Amino acid sequence: MSELTSGKYNALIAAISVQSPLINLDGFINNSLPKLIIDVSTPSIVNVQGNGHVKVIKLEDLREPYLNYVNGKSKVMGELSEIDYEAERIMRLIMRSDADEAIKDVMRFIEEIREEEIREAVNALRSGEDVETVIDAMSRSLIKKIMHNYLENMRRLAEAGNEDAVRKLKSYLMGILGNNEN
């Protein structure tokens, strides 16, 4: 107790396991005591009934602020997760917007091919060619023109020895066409 009342300390932190209080400040009036005692011992190491000169914070006193902190942190983490979700959603929309632009370009290319094929078919029909022959030729030409660049890329990859890329492109195309066989 003499060390505790020596006036050398402004604060005391006690964190040990005891059977009963070791420090009894009950009615103890001395300005040389630490101004603050933080007691997280179990049970409490300090008995301070009636002593107004020393601020004692016990484990029980810390429980409610700690729970408030944890609950507040949990709430903040929940809000951060909502922010992350929204940021991901916005990023997906931006990426989708980029894809939409690419899709528009592809569809514009395909539409130009389609219009050209229709003009050729109409001209062939006006010149008296057989309807079935014109439709067959038009469908074959459409497929060749639409698939030409894609198939040429596959050929280039094969020539470069990149068989994995060729297989992936084939698998991708077969998936688009609804045929899962490779």
Side-chain angles (χ1 to χ4, degrees):
M1 187 62 126
S2 63
E3 185 69 19
L4 184 61
T5 60
S6 67
K8 294 184 201 176
Y9 308 104
N10 291 325
L12 168 70
I13 299 174
I16 61 172
S17 181
V18 294
Q19 296 297 321
S20 61
L22 295 178
I23 301 171
N24 188 358
L25 300 179
D26 187 17
F28 198 94
I29 301 172
N30 183 338
N31 289 335
S32 60
L33 288 170
K35 302 290 185 249
L36 173 65
I37 297 176
I38 300 173
D39 182 8
V40 292
S41 302
T42 54
S44 179
I45 194 173
V46 179
N47 181 9
V48 290
Q49 297 173 348
N51 188 310
H53 293 91
V54 178
K55 170 76 174 162
V56 178
I57 299 174
K58 294 185 176 187
L59 189 58
E60 305 85 55
D61 301 328
L62 298 173
R63 192 166 279 124
E64 185 176 338
Y66 172 75
L67 290 174
N68 289 339
Y69 167 77
V70 168
N71 291 336
K73 188 169 182 124
S74 172
K75 182 179 176 185
V76 168
M77 294 307 283
E79 290 169 359
L80 287 176
S81 116
E82 287 178 33
I83 291 169
D84 285 345
Y85 172 78
E86 284 302 313
E88 287 174 13
R89 189 180 70 80
I90 290 169
M91 196 62 186
R92 282 192 305 271
L93 288 173
I94 291 168
M95 289 167 34
R96 184 179 181 109
S97 172
D98 291 345
D100 288 345
E101 287 302 313
I103 290 168
K104 284 179 188 175
D105 291 343
V106 169
M107 292 307 293
R108 197 174 8 252
F109 170 73
I110 291 172
E111 184 61 21
E112 289 171 7
I113 292 171
R114 188 188 73 80
E115 289 173 358
E116 178 185 337
E117 290 302 313
I118 288 173
R119 280 190 302 274
E120 288 179 18
V122 167
N123 288 338
L125 290 171
R126 286 185 181 149
S127 67
E129 289 188 38
D130 177 55
V131 172
E132 288 180 15
T133 303
V134 169
I135 290 173
D136 184 59
M138 183 178 89
S139 67
R140 288 177 189 277
S141 182
L142 271 172
I143 290 170
K144 284 181 183 177
K145 288 179 179 176
I146 289 171
M147 296 303 299
H148 176 76
N149 290 338
Y150 184 85
L151 298 174
E152 281 303 309
N153 283 332
M154 284 179 73
R155 285 186 185 105
R156 282 189 209 111
L157 289 168
E159 288 170 2
N162 196 342
E163 291 300 318
D164 284 342
V166 172
R167 278 192 295 279
K168 286 179 184 177
L169 284 173
K170 176 186 174 192
S171 176
Y172 179 71
L173 178 60
M174 298 306 268
I176 289 172
L177 297 175
N179 182 350
N180 293 328
E181 295 178 24
N182 290 324

Short mmCIF file of all heavy atoms in Angstrom, two decimals, residues 84-147:
data_model
loop_
_atom_site.label_atom_id
_atom_site.label_comp_id
_atom_site.label_asym_id
_atom_site.label_seq_id
_atom_site.Cartn_x
_atom_site.Cartn_y
_atom_site.Cartn_z
N ASP A 84 -20.14 -1.21 -50.41
CA ASP A 84 -19.41 -2.10 -51.31
C ASP A 84 -20.35 -2.71 -52.34
O ASP A 84 -20.02 -2.79 -53.52
CB ASP A 84 -18.72 -3.23 -50.54
CG ASP A 84 -17.48 -2.77 -49.80
OD1 ASP A 84 -16.99 -1.66 -50.11
OD2 ASP A 84 -17.01 -3.51 -48.92
N TYR A 85 -21.53 -3.14 -51.89
CA TYR A 85 -22.50 -3.75 -52.82
C TYR A 85 -22.90 -2.74 -53.89
O TYR A 85 -22.95 -3.07 -55.08
CB TYR A 85 -23.73 -4.24 -52.05
CG TYR A 85 -24.84 -4.69 -52.97
CD1 TYR A 85 -24.79 -5.92 -53.59
CD2 TYR A 85 -25.92 -3.85 -53.23
CE1 TYR A 85 -25.79 -6.33 -54.45
CE2 TYR A 85 -26.93 -4.24 -54.10
CZ TYR A 85 -26.86 -5.49 -54.70
OH TYR A 85 -27.84 -5.88 -55.56
N GLU A 86 -23.19 -1.50 -53.48
CA GLU A 86 -23.60 -0.46 -54.43
C GLU A 86 -22.46 -0.12 -55.39
O GLU A 86 -22.68 0.07 -56.58
CB GLU A 86 -24.08 0.80 -53.71
CG GLU A 86 -25.46 0.66 -53.11
CD GLU A 86 -26.52 0.32 -54.15
OE1 GLU A 86 -26.57 0.97 -55.22
OE2 GLU A 86 -27.30 -0.62 -53.91
N ALA A 87 -21.23 -0.07 -54.87
CA ALA A 87 -20.08 0.22 -55.73
C ALA A 87 -19.91 -0.89 -56.77
O ALA A 87 -19.67 -0.60 -57.95
CB ALA A 87 -18.81 0.36 -54.89
N GLU A 88 -20.08 -2.14 -56.35
CA GLU A 88 -19.98 -3.25 -57.29
C GLU A 88 -21.10 -3.18 -58.32
O GLU A 88 -20.89 -3.45 -59.51
CB GLU A 88 -20.05 -4.59 -56.55
CG GLU A 88 -18.79 -4.91 -55.79
CD GLU A 88 -18.92 -6.18 -54.95
OE1 GLU A 88 -19.89 -6.95 -55.13
OE2 GLU A 88 -18.04 -6.39 -54.10
N ARG A 89 -22.31 -2.83 -57.87
CA ARG A 89 -23.46 -2.72 -58.78
C ARG A 89 -23.21 -1.63 -59.82
O ARG A 89 -23.43 -1.83 -61.02
CB ARG A 89 -24.73 -2.42 -58.00
CG ARG A 89 -26.01 -2.49 -58.83
CD ARG A 89 -27.24 -2.18 -58.00
NE ARG A 89 -27.30 -0.78 -57.61
CZ ARG A 89 -27.72 0.19 -58.41
NH1 ARG A 89 -28.09 -0.06 -59.64
NH2 ARG A 89 -27.76 1.43 -57.98
N ILE A 90 -22.69 -0.50 -59.38
CA ILE A 90 -22.40 0.60 -60.30
C ILE A 90 -21.31 0.17 -61.28
O ILE A 90 -21.39 0.46 -62.47
CB ILE A 90 -22.01 1.87 -59.52
CG1 ILE A 90 -23.24 2.42 -58.79
CG2 ILE A 90 -21.39 2.91 -60.43
CD1 ILE A 90 -22.95 3.50 -57.77
N MET A 91 -20.29 -0.53 -60.77
CA MET A 91 -19.22 -1.00 -61.64
C MET A 91 -19.76 -1.96 -62.70
O MET A 91 -19.37 -1.89 -63.87
CB MET A 91 -18.13 -1.68 -60.81
CG MET A 91 -16.86 -1.84 -61.54
SD MET A 91 -16.26 -0.20 -61.97
CE MET A 91 -14.89 -0.62 -62.94
N ARG A 92 -20.67 -2.85 -62.28
CA ARG A 92 -21.28 -3.77 -63.25
C ARG A 92 -22.07 -3.00 -64.30
O ARG A 92 -22.05 -3.35 -65.48
CB ARG A 92 -22.19 -4.78 -62.53
CG ARG A 92 -21.43 -5.90 -61.84
CD ARG A 92 -22.35 -7.02 -61.39
NE ARG A 92 -23.45 -6.60 -60.56
CZ ARG A 92 -23.42 -6.49 -59.23
NH1 ARG A 92 -22.33 -6.80 -58.57
NH2 ARG A 92 -24.48 -6.11 -58.56
N LEU A 93 -22.78 -1.94 -63.87
CA LEU A 93 -23.53 -1.13 -64.83
C LEU A 93 -22.60 -0.44 -65.83
O LEU A 93 -22.90 -0.36 -67.02
CB LEU A 93 -24.38 -0.08 -64.10
CG LEU A 93 -25.60 -0.62 -63.35
CD1 LEU A 93 -26.25 0.50 -62.53
CD2 LEU A 93 -26.61 -1.23 -64.31
N ILE A 94 -21.46 0.06 -65.33
CA ILE A 94 -20.49 0.71 -66.22
C ILE A 94 -19.94 -0.32 -67.20
O ILE A 94 -19.86 -0.05 -68.40
CB ILE A 94 -19.35 1.35 -65.40
CG1 ILE A 94 -19.89 2.56 -64.62
CG2 ILE A 94 -18.19 1.75 -66.30
CD1 ILE A 94 -18.93 3.10 -63.58
N MET A 95 -19.59 -1.49 -66.70
CA MET A 95 -19.05 -2.53 -67.57
C MET A 95 -20.12 -2.98 -68.57
O MET A 95 -19.82 -3.23 -69.74
CB MET A 95 -18.54 -3.71 -66.74
CG MET A 95 -17.27 -3.34 -65.99
SD MET A 95 -16.68 -4.43 -64.68
CE MET A 95 -17.10 -6.04 -65.17
N ARG A 96 -21.35 -3.07 -68.10
CA ARG A 96 -22.44 -3.45 -69.00
C ARG A 96 -22.63 -2.39 -70.07
O ARG A 96 -22.90 -2.70 -71.23
CB ARG A 96 -23.73 -3.67 -68.21
CG ARG A 96 -24.86 -4.15 -69.07
CD ARG A 96 -26.12 -4.39 -68.26
NE ARG A 96 -27.14 -4.86 -69.13
CZ ARG A 96 -27.61 -6.08 -69.15
NH1 ARG A 96 -27.13 -6.97 -68.32
NH2 ARG A 96 -28.55 -6.44 -69.99
N SER A 97 -22.49 -1.12 -69.68
CA SER A 97 -22.61 -0.03 -70.64
C SER A 97 -21.54 -0.17 -71.73
O SER A 97 -21.82 0.04 -72.90
CB SER A 97 -22.47 1.31 -69.91
OG SER A 97 -22.39 2.36 -70.83
N ASP A 98 -20.32 -0.52 -71.30
CA ASP A 98 -19.25 -0.76 -72.29
C ASP A 98 -19.64 -1.91 -73.21
O ASP A 98 -19.43 -1.84 -74.42
CB ASP A 98 -17.93 -1.09 -71.59
CG ASP A 98 -17.35 0.11 -70.84
OD1 ASP A 98 -17.81 1.24 -71.09
OD2 ASP A 98 -16.45 -0.10 -70.00
N ALA A 99 -20.20 -2.97 -72.64
CA ALA A 99 -20.63 -4.12 -73.45
C ALA A 99 -21.76 -3.71 -74.38
O ALA A 99 -21.80 -4.15 -75.54
CB ALA A 99 -21.07 -5.27 -72.55
N ASP A 100 -22.66 -2.87 -73.89
CA ASP A 100 -23.78 -2.41 -74.73
C ASP A 100 -23.26 -1.68 -75.97
O ASP A 100 -23.80 -1.85 -77.06
CB ASP A 100 -24.72 -1.50 -73.94
CG ASP A 100 -25.56 -2.26 -72.92
OD1 ASP A 100 -25.63 -3.51 -73.02
OD2 ASP A 100 -26.15 -1.62 -72.03
N GLU A 101 -22.21 -0.88 -75.79
CA GLU A 101 -21.61 -0.18 -76.94
C GLU A 101 -21.02 -1.18 -77.93
O GLU A 101 -21.21 -1.05 -79.14
CB GLU A 101 -20.54 0.81 -76.48
CG GLU A 101 -21.09 2.05 -75.81
CD GLU A 101 -22.04 2.83 -76.71
OE1 GLU A 101 -21.71 3.06 -77.89
OE2 GLU A 101 -23.13 3.19 -76.23
N ALA A 102 -20.33 -2.19 -77.42
CA ALA A 102 -19.76 -3.21 -78.30
C ALA A 102 -20.87 -3.99 -79.01
O ALA A 102 -20.76 -4.28 -80.20
CB ALA A 102 -18.87 -4.17 -77.49
N ILE A 103 -21.93 -4.29 -78.28
CA ILE A 103 -23.06 -5.02 -78.87
C ILE A 103 -23.71 -4.18 -79.98
O ILE A 103 -24.04 -4.70 -81.05
CB ILE A 103 -24.09 -5.40 -77.78
CG1 ILE A 103 -23.49 -6.50 -76.88
CG2 ILE A 103 -25.41 -5.85 -78.39
CD1 ILE A 103 -24.26 -6.76 -75.61
N LYS A 104 -23.85 -2.89 -79.73
CA LYS A 104 -24.42 -2.01 -80.76
C LYS A 104 -23.57 -2.04 -82.03
O LYS A 104 -24.10 -2.10 -83.14
CB LYS A 104 -24.53 -0.56 -80.25
CG LYS A 104 -25.66 -0.33 -79.30
CD LYS A 104 -25.67 1.12 -78.83
CE LYS A 104 -26.67 1.33 -77.72
NZ LYS A 104 -26.62 2.69 -77.18
N ASP A 105 -22.25 -1.99 -81.86
CA ASP A 105 -21.34 -2.04 -83.02
C ASP A 105 -21.50 -3.36 -83.77
O ASP A 105 -21.58 -3.37 -85.01
CB ASP A 105 -19.89 -1.87 -82.58
CG ASP A 105 -19.59 -0.46 -82.07
OD1 ASP A 105 -20.39 0.45 -82.34
OD2 ASP A 105 -18.55 -0.29 -81.40
N VAL A 106 -21.55 -4.47 -83.05
CA VAL A 106 -21.71 -5.78 -83.69
C VAL A 106 -23.05 -5.86 -84.40
O VAL A 106 -23.13 -6.30 -85.55
CB VAL A 106 -21.57 -6.92 -82.65
CG1 VAL A 106 -22.00 -8.26 -83.23
CG2 VAL A 106 -20.15 -6.99 -82.11
N MET A 107 -24.11 -5.40 -83.73
CA MET A 107 -25.44 -5.47 -84.35
C MET A 107 -25.52 -4.55 -85.58
O MET A 107 -26.18 -4.90 -86.56
CB MET A 107 -26.52 -5.11 -83.32
CG MET A 107 -26.67 -6.15 -82.21
SD MET A 107 -26.91 -7.84 -82.83
CE MET A 107 -28.51 -7.69 -83.59
N ARG A 108 -24.86 -3.42 -85.53
CA ARG A 108 -24.82 -2.52 -86.70
C ARG A 108 -24.13 -3.22 -87.87
O ARG A 108 -24.61 -3.18 -89.00
CB ARG A 108 -24.10 -1.23 -86.31
CG ARG A 108 -24.32 -0.07 -87.23
CD ARG A 108 -23.71 1.25 -86.75
NE ARG A 108 -22.85 1.18 -85.57
CZ ARG A 108 -23.21 1.65 -84.36
NH1 ARG A 108 -24.37 2.21 -84.18
NH2 ARG A 108 -22.37 1.56 -83.34
N PHE A 109 -23.02 -3.91 -87.60
CA PHE A 109 -22.29 -4.68 -88.61
C PHE A 109 -23.19 -5.77 -89.21
O PHE A 109 -23.29 -5.93 -90.42
CB PHE A 109 -21.03 -5.28 -87.97
CG PHE A 109 -20.32 -6.28 -88.82
CD1 PHE A 109 -19.58 -5.87 -89.92
CD2 PHE A 109 -20.36 -7.64 -88.52
CE1 PHE A 109 -18.90 -6.80 -90.71
CE2 PHE A 109 -19.69 -8.57 -89.30
CZ PHE A 109 -18.96 -8.15 -90.40
N ILE A 110 -23.87 -6.52 -88.33
CA ILE A 110 -24.75 -7.60 -88.79
C ILE A 110 -25.92 -7.04 -89.59
O ILE A 110 -26.32 -7.61 -90.62
CB ILE A 110 -25.24 -8.45 -87.59
CG1 ILE A 110 -24.05 -9.24 -87.02
CG2 ILE A 110 -26.37 -9.39 -87.99
CD1 ILE A 110 -24.35 -9.96 -85.73
N GLU A 111 -26.45 -5.91 -89.14
CA GLU A 111 -27.58 -5.30 -89.86
C GLU A 111 -27.17 -4.86 -91.27
O GLU A 111 -27.93 -5.02 -92.22
CB GLU A 111 -28.13 -4.11 -89.08
CG GLU A 111 -29.35 -3.46 -89.69
CD GLU A 111 -30.57 -4.38 -89.83
OE1 GLU A 111 -30.65 -5.40 -89.13
OE2 GLU A 111 -31.43 -4.05 -90.68
N GLU A 112 -25.97 -4.34 -91.41
CA GLU A 112 -25.47 -3.96 -92.74
C GLU A 112 -25.38 -5.19 -93.64
O GLU A 112 -25.77 -5.14 -94.82
CB GLU A 112 -24.10 -3.28 -92.63
CG GLU A 112 -24.16 -1.90 -92.02
CD GLU A 112 -22.78 -1.32 -91.72
OE1 GLU A 112 -21.75 -1.95 -92.10
OE2 GLU A 112 -22.72 -0.25 -91.09
N ILE A 113 -24.89 -6.29 -93.10
CA ILE A 113 -24.81 -7.53 -93.88
C ILE A 113 -26.22 -7.99 -94.27
O ILE A 113 -26.47 -8.37 -95.41
CB ILE A 113 -24.08 -8.64 -93.07
CG1 ILE A 113 -22.60 -8.27 -92.89
CG2 ILE A 113 -24.23 -10.00 -93.74
CD1 ILE A 113 -21.86 -9.18 -91.94
N ARG A 114 -27.13 -7.96 -93.30
CA ARG A 114 -28.51 -8.39 -93.56
C ARG A 114 -29.15 -7.57 -94.67
O ARG A 114 -29.76 -8.11 -95.61
CB ARG A 114 -29.35 -8.30 -92.28
CG ARG A 114 -30.74 -8.91 -92.38
CD ARG A 114 -31.57 -8.60 -91.14
NE ARG A 114 -31.99 -7.20 -91.11
CZ ARG A 114 -33.02 -6.71 -91.79
NH1 ARG A 114 -33.75 -7.48 -92.57
NH2 ARG A 114 -33.34 -5.44 -91.70
N GLU A 115 -29.00 -6.24 -94.58
CA GLU A 115 -29.59 -5.36 -95.60
C GLU A 115 -29.00 -5.64 -96.98
O GLU A 115 -29.72 -5.66 -97.98
CB GLU A 115 -29.40 -3.89 -95.20
CG GLU A 115 -30.25 -3.47 -94.03
CD GLU A 115 -29.94 -2.08 -93.52
OE1 GLU A 115 -29.00 -1.43 -94.05
OE2 GLU A 115 -30.62 -1.63 -92.58
N GLU A 116 -27.68 -5.86 -97.04
CA GLU A 116 -27.03 -6.18 -98.31
C GLU A 116 -27.58 -7.49 -98.88
O GLU A 116 -27.87 -7.60 -100.08
CB GLU A 116 -25.52 -6.29 -98.11
CG GLU A 116 -24.75 -6.65 -99.36
CD GLU A 116 -23.26 -6.86 -99.09
OE1 GLU A 116 -22.73 -6.34 -98.09
OE2 GLU A 116 -22.64 -7.58 -99.89
N GLU A 117 -27.75 -8.49 -98.02
CA GLU A 117 -28.27 -9.79 -98.47
C GLU A 117 -29.72 -9.67 -98.95
O GLU A 117 -30.10 -10.33 -99.93
CB GLU A 117 -28.16 -10.83 -97.35
CG GLU A 117 -26.74 -11.25 -97.07
CD GLU A 117 -26.05 -11.83 -98.29
OE1 GLU A 117 -26.64 -12.68 -99.00
OE2 GLU A 117 -24.90 -11.42 -98.55
N ILE A 118 -30.50 -8.85 -98.28
CA ILE A 118 -31.89 -8.65 -98.72
C ILE A 118 -31.91 -8.01 -100.10
O ILE A 118 -32.66 -8.44 -100.98
CB ILE A 118 -32.68 -7.80 -97.70
CG1 ILE A 118 -32.97 -8.61 -96.44
CG2 ILE A 118 -33.98 -7.27 -98.31
CD1 ILE A 118 -33.61 -7.82 -95.32
N ARG A 119 -31.07 -6.98 -100.31
CA ARG A 119 -31.02 -6.33 -101.63
C ARG A 119 -30.66 -7.34 -102.73
O ARG A 119 -31.30 -7.39 -103.78
CB ARG A 119 -30.00 -5.18 -101.62
CG ARG A 119 -30.51 -3.89 -101.01
CD ARG A 119 -29.55 -2.72 -101.25
NE ARG A 119 -28.20 -2.94 -100.74
CZ ARG A 119 -27.81 -2.69 -99.50
NH1 ARG A 119 -28.69 -2.21 -98.63
NH2 ARG A 119 -26.58 -2.90 -99.14
N GLU A 120 -29.65 -8.16 -102.45
CA GLU A 120 -29.24 -9.16 -103.43
C GLU A 120 -30.35 -10.18 -103.68
O GLU A 120 -30.60 -10.58 -104.83
CB GLU A 120 -27.96 -9.88 -102.96
CG GLU A 120 -26.72 -9.01 -103.05
CD GLU A 120 -25.47 -9.74 -102.57
OE1 GLU A 120 -25.48 -10.99 -102.48
OE2 GLU A 120 -24.48 -9.04 -102.28
N ALA A 121 -31.04 -10.61 -102.62
CA ALA A 121 -32.12 -11.59 -102.77
C ALA A 121 -33.29 -11.00 -103.57
O ALA A 121 -33.84 -11.66 -104.46
CB ALA A 121 -32.59 -12.08 -101.40
N VAL A 122 -33.65 -9.76 -103.25
CA VAL A 122 -34.75 -9.11 -103.96
C VAL A 122 -34.40 -8.97 -105.44
O VAL A 122 -35.23 -9.24 -106.33
CB VAL A 122 -35.10 -7.75 -103.31
CG1 VAL A 122 -36.01 -6.91 -104.21
CG2 VAL A 122 -35.73 -7.95 -101.94
N ASN A 123 -33.18 -8.55 -105.73
CA ASN A 123 -32.75 -8.43 -107.13
C ASN A 123 -32.80 -9.79 -107.84
O ASN A 123 -33.22 -9.88 -108.99
CB ASN A 123 -31.34 -7.84 -107.23
CG ASN A 123 -31.32 -6.37 -106.87
OD1 ASN A 123 -32.35 -5.69 -106.94
ND2 ASN A 123 -30.16 -5.88 -106.48
N ALA A 124 -32.37 -10.85 -107.14
CA ALA A 124 -32.38 -12.19 -107.74
C ALA A 124 -33.82 -12.64 -108.00
O ALA A 124 -34.12 -13.23 -109.05
CB ALA A 124 -31.67 -13.18 -106.84
N LEU A 125 -34.70 -12.34 -107.06
CA LEU A 125 -36.12 -12.72 -107.24
C LEU A 125 -36.75 -11.94 -108.39
O LEU A 125 -37.54 -12.48 -109.17
CB LEU A 125 -36.91 -12.50 -105.95
CG LEU A 125 -36.59 -13.46 -104.80
CD1 LEU A 125 -37.26 -13.01 -103.51
CD2 LEU A 125 -37.00 -14.89 -105.15
N ARG A 126 -36.41 -10.64 -108.50
CA ARG A 126 -36.95 -9.81 -109.58
C ARG A 126 -36.45 -10.28 -110.95
O ARG A 126 -37.13 -10.08 -111.95
CB ARG A 126 -36.59 -8.34 -109.35
CG ARG A 126 -37.41 -7.73 -108.25
CD ARG A 126 -37.14 -6.25 -108.11
NE ARG A 126 -37.94 -5.71 -107.02
CZ ARG A 126 -37.60 -4.72 -106.25
NH1 ARG A 126 -36.46 -4.10 -106.45
NH2 ARG A 126 -38.39 -4.31 -105.30
N SER A 127 -35.26 -10.88 -110.94
CA SER A 127 -34.73 -11.35 -112.22
C SER A 127 -35.25 -12.76 -112.54
O SER A 127 -34.83 -13.35 -113.54
CB SER A 127 -33.22 -11.30 -112.23
OG SER A 127 -32.70 -12.23 -111.32
N GLY A 128 -36.15 -13.29 -111.69
CA GLY A 128 -36.83 -14.53 -112.00
C GLY A 128 -36.18 -15.78 -111.43
O GLY A 128 -36.59 -16.89 -111.79
N GLU A 129 -35.21 -15.65 -110.54
CA GLU A 129 -34.60 -16.86 -109.96
C GLU A 129 -35.60 -17.55 -109.03
O GLU A 129 -36.51 -16.93 -108.49
CB GLU A 129 -33.32 -16.49 -109.19
CG GLU A 129 -32.19 -16.09 -110.12
CD GLU A 129 -30.87 -15.92 -109.39
OE1 GLU A 129 -30.58 -16.72 -108.46
OE2 GLU A 129 -30.13 -14.99 -109.74
N ASP A 130 -35.37 -18.84 -108.81
CA ASP A 130 -36.24 -19.67 -107.97
C ASP A 130 -36.19 -19.18 -106.51
O ASP A 130 -35.11 -18.94 -105.96
CB ASP A 130 -35.76 -21.13 -108.07
CG ASP A 130 -36.56 -22.05 -107.18
OD1 ASP A 130 -37.80 -22.07 -107.30
OD2 ASP A 130 -35.92 -22.75 -106.35
N VAL A 131 -37.34 -19.07 -105.87
CA VAL A 131 -37.45 -18.54 -104.49
C VAL A 131 -36.63 -19.38 -103.53
O VAL A 131 -35.86 -18.83 -102.71
CB VAL A 131 -38.93 -18.48 -104.05
CG1 VAL A 131 -39.04 -18.12 -102.57
CG2 VAL A 131 -39.72 -17.52 -104.89
N GLU A 132 -36.76 -20.69 -103.58
CA GLU A 132 -36.03 -21.56 -102.65
C GLU A 132 -34.52 -21.42 -102.84
O GLU A 132 -33.76 -21.40 -101.88
CB GLU A 132 -36.47 -23.01 -102.82
CG GLU A 132 -37.85 -23.27 -102.27
CD GLU A 132 -38.29 -24.71 -102.44
OE1 GLU A 132 -37.44 -25.60 -102.73
OE2 GLU A 132 -39.49 -24.96 -102.28
N THR A 133 -34.09 -21.32 -104.05
CA THR A 133 -32.66 -21.17 -104.35
C THR A 133 -32.14 -19.84 -103.81
O THR A 133 -31.06 -19.78 -103.21
CB THR A 133 -32.41 -21.26 -105.87
OG1 THR A 133 -32.93 -22.48 -106.36
CG2 THR A 133 -30.94 -21.16 -106.21
N VAL A 134 -32.92 -18.78 -103.96
CA VAL A 134 -32.53 -17.45 -103.48
C VAL A 134 -32.45 -17.45 -101.95
O VAL A 134 -31.48 -16.94 -101.37
CB VAL A 134 -33.51 -16.37 -103.98
CG1 VAL A 134 -33.28 -15.04 -103.28
CG2 VAL A 134 -33.42 -16.23 -105.48
N ILE A 135 -33.45 -18.04 -101.30
CA ILE A 135 -33.46 -18.07 -99.82
C ILE A 135 -32.29 -18.90 -99.31
O ILE A 135 -31.60 -18.51 -98.35
CB ILE A 135 -34.81 -18.61 -99.29
CG1 ILE A 135 -35.91 -17.58 -99.57
CG2 ILE A 135 -34.72 -18.90 -97.79
CD1 ILE A 135 -37.30 -18.05 -99.24
N ASP A 136 -32.01 -20.04 -99.93
CA ASP A 136 -30.90 -20.88 -99.53
C ASP A 136 -29.57 -20.13 -99.69
O ASP A 136 -28.72 -20.13 -98.77
CB ASP A 136 -30.88 -22.17 -100.35
CG ASP A 136 -29.80 -23.12 -99.90
OD1 ASP A 136 -29.82 -23.51 -98.70
OD2 ASP A 136 -28.91 -23.44 -100.72
N ALA A 137 -29.39 -19.48 -100.81
CA ALA A 137 -28.16 -18.73 -101.06
C ALA A 137 -28.02 -17.57 -100.07
O ALA A 137 -26.92 -17.29 -99.56
CB ALA A 137 -28.14 -18.20 -102.50
N MET A 138 -29.14 -16.90 -99.80
CA MET A 138 -29.11 -15.77 -98.87
C MET A 138 -28.71 -16.24 -97.46
O MET A 138 -27.87 -15.62 -96.80
CB MET A 138 -30.47 -15.07 -98.81
CG MET A 138 -30.49 -13.85 -97.91
SD MET A 138 -32.07 -13.01 -97.89
CE MET A 138 -32.85 -13.88 -96.56
N SER A 139 -29.30 -17.34 -96.99
CA SER A 139 -28.98 -17.81 -95.64
C SER A 139 -27.52 -18.25 -95.53
O SER A 139 -26.84 -17.97 -94.55
CB SER A 139 -29.93 -18.94 -95.23
OG SER A 139 -29.71 -20.10 -96.01
N ARG A 140 -27.00 -18.94 -96.57
CA ARG A 140 -25.59 -19.36 -96.57
C ARG A 140 -24.66 -18.14 -96.57
O ARG A 140 -23.67 -18.10 -95.83
CB ARG A 140 -25.29 -20.23 -97.78
CG ARG A 140 -25.90 -21.60 -97.71
CD ARG A 140 -25.61 -22.39 -99.00
NE ARG A 140 -26.36 -23.60 -99.03
CZ ARG A 140 -25.99 -24.73 -98.44
NH1 ARG A 140 -24.86 -24.76 -97.77
NH2 ARG A 140 -26.74 -25.80 -98.51
N SER A 141 -24.99 -17.17 -97.36
CA SER A 141 -24.17 -15.96 -97.45
C SER A 141 -24.19 -15.19 -96.13
O SER A 141 -23.16 -14.68 -95.69
CB SER A 141 -24.67 -15.08 -98.60
OG SER A 141 -23.86 -13.94 -98.70
N LEU A 142 -25.36 -15.11 -95.50
CA LEU A 142 -25.47 -14.43 -94.20
C LEU A 142 -24.55 -15.08 -93.17
O LEU A 142 -23.79 -14.39 -92.48
CB LEU A 142 -26.92 -14.48 -93.67
CG LEU A 142 -27.85 -13.38 -94.06
CD1 LEU A 142 -29.27 -13.70 -93.63
CD2 LEU A 142 -27.41 -12.06 -93.47
N ILE A 143 -24.63 -16.38 -93.08
CA ILE A 143 -23.81 -17.10 -92.10
C ILE A 143 -22.33 -16.88 -92.38
O ILE A 143 -21.55 -16.58 -91.47
CB ILE A 143 -24.17 -18.60 -92.10
CG1 ILE A 143 -25.57 -18.79 -91.51
CG2 ILE A 143 -23.16 -19.40 -91.30
CD1 ILE A 143 -26.14 -20.18 -91.66
N LYS A 144 -21.91 -17.02 -93.62
CA LYS A 144 -20.49 -16.86 -93.97
C LYS A 144 -20.01 -15.46 -93.63
O LYS A 144 -18.92 -15.29 -93.06
CB LYS A 144 -20.27 -17.14 -95.45
CG LYS A 144 -20.29 -18.60 -95.80
CD LYS A 144 -20.05 -18.80 -97.29
CE LYS A 144 -20.16 -20.26 -97.66
NZ LYS A 144 -20.00 -20.47 -99.10
N LYS A 145 -20.79 -14.45 -93.99
CA LYS A 145 -20.35 -13.07 -93.75
C LYS A 145 -20.33 -12.72 -92.26
O LYS A 145 -19.42 -12.03 -91.80
CB LYS A 145 -21.24 -12.09 -94.51
CG LYS A 145 -21.00 -12.13 -96.01
CD LYS A 145 -21.90 -11.17 -96.73
CE LYS A 145 -21.63 -11.21 -98.24
NZ LYS A 145 -22.55 -10.36 -98.99
N ILE A 146 -21.32 -13.20 -91.53
CA ILE A 146 -21.37 -12.90 -90.09
C ILE A 146 -20.24 -13.61 -89.35
O ILE A 146 -19.61 -13.05 -88.46
CB ILE A 146 -22.75 -13.28 -89.50
CG1 ILE A 146 -23.81 -12.30 -90.02
CG2 ILE A 146 -22.71 -13.27 -87.97
CD1 ILE A 146 -25.24 -12.71 -89.68
N MET A 147 -19.96 -14.85 -89.73
CA MET A 147 -18.97 -15.65 -89.02
C MET A 147 -17.55 -15.49 -89.55
O MET A 147 -16.60 -15.94 -88.90
CB MET A 147 -19.37 -17.15 -89.10
CG MET A 147 -20.69 -17.46 -88.39
SD MET A 147 -20.67 -16.98 -86.64
CE MET A 147 -19.36 -17.99 -86.02
#
